[in-house]
Amino acid sequence: MKTIIEPFRIKVVEPLKMTTREHRENVLRDAGFNVFLMPAEDVLIDLLTDSGTGAMSSEQWAAIMRGDESYAGARSYYRFESRLQQITGFEHIIPTHQGRASERILFELVGGPDKVIPNNNHFDTTRANVEHSGAVALDLVIDEGANPRSRHPFKGNLDIDKLERLFKDVGPERIPLVMVTITNNSGGGQPVSLENLKAVRKVCDQYKTPMFLDACRFAENAFFIKEREEGQSDRSVESIVREMFDLADGATISAKKDGLVNIGGVLLLRDESLYQNARNLLILTEGFSTYGGLAGRDLDAMAQGFEEVLHEDYLNYRIRSTEYLGKKLLESGIQIVEPPGGHAVYIDAAEFCPHIPSAQFPGQALVAALYRHGGIRAVEIGSVMFGEHAKMELVRLAIPRRVYTQSQIDYVIEVIQEVHAKRDEIRGLKIVEAPPVLRHFTARFAEV
Ligand SMILES: *Cc1c(COP(=O)(O)O)cnc(C)c1O
C-alpha cells in the first residue's frame, strides 16, 4: 500500500516560534505547571486539543465571506439547517456557540436533583453540566474500555448489562435519558459499534427512555464502524452516520471537532415540546434560534465543514495519521491506549512514570516534561481532570484536523522517545491552588 498522503495542499502558512529550554522552563513555572495557563505562542506543537484548532478549507473561507449577518432568518442559517437535516435526519436543528451550550440547555431541561444520567464516559463539560443541574453522571463503559492494553475494536461501547442493572436499581423515572459519546473522548477516543448503539436503543425502548448521542466525532466513529464492524465495509460513511442518528432521540454536538470549524455547536431534538423549551432557553441565554450565539459566517462555515468531514479520503487520512503516531510510540515501548483513537493518542502515564503515585499526578508531570523538553503541549486526562472518578492516568496528544505535517509528528515522536529514555528524572506534582469545579483548567501545581 502506498503512503497515505494529506489530501490537501497548503495555501496559507503560520510561522511557529522556536524557543529555548531555558525559556520554556520559565514559561512552565509562570504557568504553575498547568499548560492551560501559558501563552500559546510559547508552544511549538500544540496537541492540547483537537477542539476548534483545525484548519478551514478554501471553501470554508469562501463560505465565511458569503455569511449572511441578518438577525433572523439568515441565509447562512438555512444552509446550516438543511445540511444538518440532510446528514442526521433530524427536523429540529438548534445552533449553539459550542458543545457545552447544547449540554447546558439539555440538562437544565431534563436534569435536576434525584436524576441519574448514564453514558459510556461523560466528557468533562458533560459531567459538569449534568452535576450542575443536581443530577448524577454515571460512566458505564465496557470493562475493556478501562484497560489500556485491550485491543477490543469498539472500546467505547456502553456496557448493556450495567445499563440494565441501573434501570432495575434506580428505576426509569430517575433516568431522563441515556447518553452515548461517539467517539468516547474521555475513554481514549475509542469508537462505539452500530451493534452497541442498537442494543442501547433496545434497552431505552424497553423503558421508554430517550437515547441521546454526544456526537462530537460522529464522522470518525462512522469511519471506524465501516473499517471494523462486520458487514459495514461496503457502505458509505454517510449512510452509517445516518443510521447512527436514526437510532437517537437527540444529540449534542461540538462543531469544533467534526464540524471542522473553530467555533460552533448543535443541539438536535425530535420531541416537539422539548424542542420548544430548548429554543426558549436558547433565546434567553445564547441568541435567537436562527443564530444561537454565532455570527452568520460561522453557520456558513459549519454548513461547509459538516459536508467536508464526510469525504472518505479525508477520514482515511485523519484516522491513519493518528494511528501512525500511536504505532510509532508502541514500537518504542511506550504504552498507549490501544488501539490508537480517532482524534488522539493517549499515553499511559502510570506506566510511563511508575515512580510517581496517582496522588502526585503522573499525567500532569508527564505533560510538564513534554513541554519542557520539546515545546509540545499535551493534556492530562486522569486524576487532575476527574479526581476520584479517574479510571486511568492518561496524557492525551490530540491531533488538530488538517494542521500538522508528518515531519512535525515525527518530531513529536522523537521528543517523547527522549523523555521516555530519561523518565526517572520526571518529578511528581502537588496542587497549590484549585477551583471547586473543572479544576484542570486553572489549578496551579508545584514539583514535589
Ligand atoms: C468537546 C466535547 C464536548 C464539549 O464541547 P465544547 O465545544 O468544548 O463546549 C462535549 N463532549 C465531547 C465528547 C467533546 O469532545
Side-chain angles (χ1 to χ4, degrees), residues 98-100 103 123 125 181 185 214 216-217 254 256-257:
Q98 59 185 95
R100 70 195 70 180
E103 293 167 354
F123 181 65
T125 61
T181 305
N185 188 359
D214 178 345
C216 297
R217 298 176 183 80
S254 167
K256 302 170 72 171
K257 286 68 175 251

Side-chain angles (χ1 to χ4, degrees), residues 49-52 96-103 119 121-127 129 179-186 214-217 252-257 262-265 343 346 396 441:
T49 174
D50 65 320
S51 179
T96 60
H97 80 276
Q98 59 185 95
R100 70 195 70 180
S102 305
E103 293 167 354
N119 201 327
N121 280 120
H122 286 84
F123 181 65
D124 58 353
T125 61
T126 321
R127 169 176 292 281
N129 275 292
M179 202 146 196
V180 187
T181 305
I182 55 171
T183 57
N184 190 20
N185 188 359
S186 305
D214 178 345
C216 297
R217 298 176 183 80
T252 55
I253 302 180
S254 167
K256 302 170 72 171
K257 286 68 175 251
N262 304 118
I263 196 73
H343 67 292
Y346 296 67
R396 185 183 73 182
F441 287 125

Side-chain angles (χ1 to χ4, degrees), residues 111-215:
D114 279 353
K115 297 281 168 41
V116 177
I117 312 283
N119 201 327
N120 41 358
N121 280 120
H122 286 84
F123 181 65
D124 58 353
T125 61
T126 321
R127 169 176 292 281
N129 275 292
V130 167
E131 290 176 352
H132 183 69
S133 81
V136 173
L138 285 183
D139 292 341
L140 304 183
V141 73
I142 56 171
D143 291 342
E144 288 89 338
N147 172 6
R149 284 190 179 74
S150 160
R151 303 280 309 191
H152 190 293
F154 292 102
K155 282 171 84 171
N157 283 355
L158 194 144
D159 192 315
I160 301 301
D161 290 339
K162 290 181 198 163
L163 183 63
E164 283 178 330
R165 219 172 307 140
L166 180 73
F167 270 104
K168 291 204 177 96
D169 287 350
V170 313
E173 326 74 61
R174 290 182 57 200
I175 305 175
L177 55 83
V178 177
M179 202 146 196
V180 187
T181 305
I182 55 171
T183 57
N184 190 20
N185 188 359
S186 305
Q190 301 291 327
V192 176
S193 70
L194 212 43
E195 191 189 15
N196 188 249
L197 290 174
K198 286 180 192 161
V200 173
R201 175 78 256 175
K202 217 171 134 192
V203 176
C204 287
D205 283 344
Q206 190 187 333
Y207 291 102
K208 300 196 171 25
T209 301
M211 168 177 160
F212 271 62
L213 298 175
D214 178 345

